Amino acid sequence: MATIGLDKLFYSKITEDADGNETYATPVSLAKAMSAELSVELAEATLYADDGAAEIVKEFQSGTLTLGIDDIGASVAGDLTGATIDKNHVLISTSEDGGTPVAIGFRAKKANGKYRYFWLYRVKFGIPATNLTTKGESIEFSTPSIEGTVLRRNKVDGLGKHPWKAEVSEDDTGVSATVIKNWYDDVYEPTYTTTGTTE
């Protein structure tokens, strides 16, 4: 179903243990969302046998997330890009900056009034783009955008796989109201039954 809105943009800082496994902090609001564009790159291979394609493998390699936001505050910019805030509360960006990955959560309103919820488990952002224009005869808003690379997370789920995205629509059959209610309390962790199917 088509979506007609976007809101509740959150991020969660990541800490990693010695093996690189992620632990997520309590999610906090990033900014007011204007747009989110997600593109995905797949690694693919085709095995040819008997003069034809015998097997085709397509796996997630990485993605690009471009966020259009109303504003990015100094502390959020620091968390996402590695910039620092000096003692005068001025945000300083240096050539050595390199932000640490974060998890990104948001929701999109569907045409039926229900929402589709997302968590991207590991996104590494670059420096926000700034567009400025002089004031003319009509009012024109200039807003920042920020682009990040979406990666799979290091920590495996209950099936021994490395998830990169969690997505659910609140009106899907079998979706617990608790999952939707608690979506922004923590970064969603996949749960499975012992047979490998979802609970």
Side-chain angles (χ1 to χ4, degrees), residues 13 53 122 137:
K13 293 171 73 172
R122 191 175 177 92
E137 292 181 9

Side-chain angles (χ1 to χ4, degrees), residues 38-130:
L38 177 63
S39 60
V40 174
E41 289 185 33
L42 299 177
E44 55 184 282
T46 304
L47 174 67
Y48 291 93
D50 288 339
D51 294 332
E55 290 186 44
I56 298 174
V57 176
K58 294 188 178 192
E59 294 182 351
F60 173 80
Q61 183 175 4
S62 67
T64 302
L65 177 67
T66 305
L67 296 174
I69 51 180
D70 70 328
D71 191 18
I72 185 166
S75 63
V76 173
D79 288 344
L80 269 53
T81 68
T84 55
I85 302 172
D86 75 2
K87 69 176 187 175
N88 295 314
H89 299 282
V90 175
L91 183 70
I92 306 298
S93 298
T94 68
S95 60
E96 293 82 10
D97 289 347
T100 56
V102 296
I104 296 292
F106 53 92
R107 70 179 188 175
K109 189 173 187 179
K110 302 191 324 182
N112 66 359
K114 301 296 184 181
Y115 286 91
R116 182 176 298 141
Y117 291 80
F118 299 84
W119 271 111
L120 301 175
Y121 286 112
R122 191 175 177 92
V123 183
K124 187 170 175 83
F125 284 100
I127 304 301
T130 304

Side-chain angles (χ1 to χ4, degrees), residues 2-189:
T3 58
I4 57 173
L6 174 71
D7 68 352
K8 292 194 70 121
L9 180 60
F10 278 66
Y11 75 101
S12 171
K13 293 171 73 172
I14 294 174
T15 55
E16 297 179 14
D17 65 15
D19 296 323
N21 292 325
E22 296 88 350
T23 301
Y24 298 99
T26 302
V28 293
S29 180
L30 193 157
K32 290 183 179 177
M34 296 170 49
S35 64
E37 181 180 328
L38 177 63
S39 60
V40 174
E41 289 185 33
L42 299 177
E44 55 184 282
T46 304
L47 174 67
Y48 291 93
D50 288 339
D51 294 332
E55 290 186 44
I56 298 174
V57 176
K58 294 188 178 192
E59 294 182 351
F60 173 80
Q61 183 175 4
S62 67
T64 302
L65 177 67
T66 305
L67 296 174
I69 51 180
D70 70 328
D71 191 18
I72 185 166
S75 63
V76 173
D79 288 344
L80 269 53
T81 68
T84 55
I85 302 172
D86 75 2
K87 69 176 187 175
N88 295 314
H89 299 282
V90 175
L91 183 70
I92 306 298
S93 298
T94 68
S95 60
E96 293 82 10
D97 289 347
T100 56
V102 296
I104 296 292
F106 53 92
R107 70 179 188 175
K109 189 173 187 179
K110 302 191 324 182
N112 66 359
K114 301 296 184 181
Y115 286 91
R116 182 176 298 141
Y117 291 80
F118 299 84
W119 271 111
L120 301 175
Y121 286 112
R122 191 175 177 92
V123 183
K124 187 170 175 83
F125 284 100
I127 304 301
T130 304
N131 300 307
L132 304 172
T133 54
T134 189
K135 189 167 118 180
E137 292 181 9
S138 60
I139 296 173
E140 185 177 330
F141 289 104
S142 296
T143 56
S145 64
I146 187 165
E147 185 174 280
T149 301
V150 181
L151 305 164
R152 71 172 201 174
R153 74 177 190 184
N154 298 320
K155 181 181 174 184
V156 296
D157 64 12
L159 299 178
K161 297 183 178 182
H162 300 270
W164 65 274
K165 177 178 76 165
E167 177 180 348
V168 66
S169 291
E170 65 179 313
D171 57 342
D172 282 348
T173 303
V175 174
S176 165
T178 304
V179 169
I180 301 302
K181 179 176 177 272
N182 298 333
W183 193 254
Y184 293 104
D185 292 346
D186 297 292
V187 174
Y188 180 77
E189 185 64 36

